[in-house]
Amino acid sequence: MSASATASPESSQHSYYQLLGIAPDADADQIRRGYRKAALRCHPDKRGNDPAAAEEFQAVAKAYEVLSDEKKRKVYDAYGAEAVEIMDQIPFLDPGMLLAMRSMFRVAAVLSLVILLFPIFVSLKADGKITWYWVAVFAPTFVVLAIVMVGRVLSTNYREDAEREDKWTARWKKFYNFGYTAVFTGFDVLVALRMDDTIACSWAAVFAPWFCLEVSHFVSTVLETWAQIKLGTPADDETPLDKESGVPLNRRPLSGLEVVFSVFSNFHFLVLRVAQAVLLVMKLDSNSLSWTTTFIPLYIYIILILLTILMGILVRLLSTQGPRAGPLLCFLVAFITVSGIGIVFPVLLVRRLSWDDGYPPAGVLLIPVFVVLSLALCMFGCLFPCLLRAGVSVQEEQMRTAGHGGGAEAAEEAPLAGGTARGSRVESGESVVVVRGVYSTFQIRYPVPS
């Protein structure tokens, strides 16, 4: 979970325990005695029907309801009161995951807003509208990287990994992610200082942290590719999955062509990225290359990305008929438009750097960057939170309908958002609705009326 998702429960945790006047490690008897004392102290009849007393009495009752239930108390101690409310509404949904997603969207929206300032400052600086130092222009990137580094320190999102792996592995992952962000931050600072001529070193030295990161990418990519080749591929589409790892049980070795494709798909971006950095260093240090030659890896990468997306759209379009083909055609038109922008951008960039006549203006040149960052801000700040809230509401209502809206007939085939309730049975006085979702299967249990 993110740092904000796991740090927020502390204040609400103390308020619940403090309402009952007990310690966070109190047992069931202490919780019961604390509730009785608190209820007598703030009962409205003893305080002259004071509205504040009524609110406090309700809060005490809510605190006792949560702390006296072992399952709710565990969720409350981990994530806070909001998670308990989510648990009451949708018992099958992990409240910690939902809170983490909400926090992630908030943080991503803030980061998108801050990083949007960077291309704005760059365009103003490049066009001579401001006379700031480049260190000031790079300030938004410093702020974003500082937030990410703090998040790496405070994050506790390796609890799930720690259950499957030893604590040293989880700590190593956390240390690696923090170190990675720190090295990238150093590279960012060096670029700004070098552009201001504050430091007099070669661009090869400035890019040294970048190449260190690429070495780590190379090692991890080699290990990942070797694991894929060693693991093989499923023998057929109906191969059963292992219950613990989710890996298909019946597998066959990769063919020669499949090995080549796996190596290419894993390494092509890394190779192009390193080649681009090397050519850029050669251009900046010796000016022995033209800007057109310098950006050849960028051209190749854009073409590969566009071809990959285009092939995916065409495959889906050819396999889709009827009304569903309409959205794909609209997406194809949008893709062609975006592709034109993606192809024109490096051409205009080379034109601006080669002629150095201020054309096209940096504000016009960076329009694609502005569009992408603005869309990211809209998605994380509005679209994704609204979709999450709407999905939870729809899921809750449909689960209630599947459980109580018509008995066995309604539960036999109740459509859900992302799944279907299939069948029902009675076990030990409880009705059980089995729900098969896109990613998981879960059950809803409720008492059978006598």
Side-chain angles (χ1 to χ4, degrees), residues 340-373:
I341 297 175
I343 294 173
V344 169
F345 171 71
V347 174
L348 294 179
L349 178 61
V350 169
R351 167 67 177 77
R352 169 68 186 249
L353 295 173
S354 299
W355 291 87
D356 196 22
D357 56 357
Y359 180 82
V364 175
L365 183 62
L366 294 177
I367 284 178
V369 180
F370 296 142
V371 172
V372 170
L373 292 178

Side-chain angles (χ1 to χ4, degrees), residues 8 13 20 34 50 110 116 137 165 189-190 217 234 365 383 427:
S8 58
Q13 176 179 338
L20 302 186
D50 184 5
V110 172
L116 181 60
V137 173
E165 304 169 350
V189 172
L190 288 175
H217 294 158
L365 183 62
L383 180 60
E427 294 180 359

Side-chain angles (χ1 to χ4, degrees), residues 139-209:
T141 64
F142 300 153
V143 173
V144 170
L145 290 171
I147 294 174
V148 173
M149 289 182 66
V150 171
R152 295 296 190 188
V153 174
L154 300 179
S155 176
T156 57
N157 60 337
Y158 294 109
R159 283 180 296 178
E160 295 182 359
D161 290 340
E163 293 178 359
R164 300 190 301 265
E165 304 169 350
D166 58 88
K167 293 183 178 180
W168 288 107
T169 303
R171 291 175 181 175
W172 164 250
K173 288 181 178 180
K174 188 172 183 178
F175 173 77
Y176 173 81
N177 287 325
F178 175 79
Y180 185 96
T181 308
V183 173
F184 189 84
T185 303
F187 168 71
D188 194 37
V189 172
L190 288 175
V191 170
L193 294 176
R194 180 64 179 82
M195 294 182 71
D196 282 331
D197 291 329
T198 305
I199 56 176
C201 62
S202 65
W203 280 99
V206 172
F207 272 77

Side-chain angles (χ1 to χ4, degrees), residues 416-440:
L416 300 174
T420 305
R422 301 184 181 275
S424 62
R425 61 181 184 273
V426 176
E427 294 180 359
S428 303
E430 288 185 328
S431 179
V432 181
V433 179
V434 180
V435 180
R436 301 187 184 280
V438 178
Y439 301 106
S440 61

Side-chain angles (χ1 to χ4, degrees), residues 302-312 335:
I302 291 177
I303 292 174
L304 288 176
I305 289 293
L306 296 180
L307 287 178
T308 302
I309 299 176
L310 180 61
M311 290 177 61
F335 167 77

Side-chain angles (χ1 to χ4, degrees), residues 234 236-251 439:
D236 51 62
D237 295 336
E238 299 180 356
T239 299
L241 302 179
D242 183 75
K243 295 182 179 179
E244 295 183 358
S245 62
V247 176
L249 296 176
N250 300 328
R251 308 186 67 86
Y439 301 106

